[in-house]
Amino acid sequence: MRRREIVMATALLRAELGRQWRIEELAREVAVSPTHLTRLFHAQIGISPAAFLRQLRADRMAELLATTSVTVGEAGAAVGWHDLAMASRSFKQRYGVSPSTYASSYRSPGPGSLANSGLIH
């Protein structure tokens, strides 16, 4: 069973994904010290709060890239990454491919592509 502080912290991170979180702010929100919150994350989730936030952002970015026509930069900014290089590195670390490769694998090709020609299925 997860501790109340972890439940609250993960809910806050999910609810305010685009916020530029600092560990001190998150700890204050759940009424524990930053050190204690980091220990709780490691004990209960297995990673730091920052790593958890990167995973959340990468997952939401993947969802945006797969279901919308936003650019990689727009998707990164929508989840709180304003540095495209950081967004791309974090995304690739989580998914094993670049955000643009991921997006192109989910988006349907244009009318003149081989996929729509009937030659490749």
Side-chain angles (χ1 to χ4, degrees), residues 6 9 13-15 19-20 24 28 34 37 39 41 50 61-62 68 77 82 104 109 114:
I6 293 296
L13 292 173
R14 283 186 177 96
R19 182 172 167 180
Q20 298 305 305
E24 295 83 7
R28 188 173 33 252
L37 183 61
R39 267 195 302 262
F41 260 84
M61 189 173 171
T68 70
H82 301 290
S104 64
L114 291 175

Side-chain angles (χ1 to χ4, degrees), residues 10-103:
T10 57
L12 282 167
L13 292 173
R14 283 186 177 96
E16 297 184 53
L17 196 57
R19 182 172 167 180
Q20 298 305 305
W21 285 101
R22 293 175 37 103
I23 188 66
E24 295 83 7
E25 295 167 348
L26 184 60
R28 188 173 33 252
E29 293 275 349
V30 298
V32 296
S33 74
T35 304
H36 188 59
L37 183 61
T38 300
R39 267 195 302 262
L40 288 173
F41 260 84
H42 279 287
Q44 299 211 332
I45 298 178
I47 56 177
S48 70
F52 182 77
L53 180 58
R54 279 192 303 276
Q55 286 183 359
L56 289 176
R57 286 180 171 165
D59 292 347
R60 177 65 179 133
M61 189 173 171
E63 182 182 340
L64 289 171
L65 292 172
T67 61
T68 70
S69 60
V70 298
T71 66
V72 170
E74 291 168 337
V79 301
W81 279 319
H82 301 290
D83 177 353
L84 186 56
M86 170 61 112
S88 293
R89 270 192 313 275
S90 296
F91 188 94
K92 188 169 185 176
Q93 183 179 22
R94 178 94 166 133
Y95 285 93
V97 296
S98 70
S100 56
T101 299
Y102 185 90

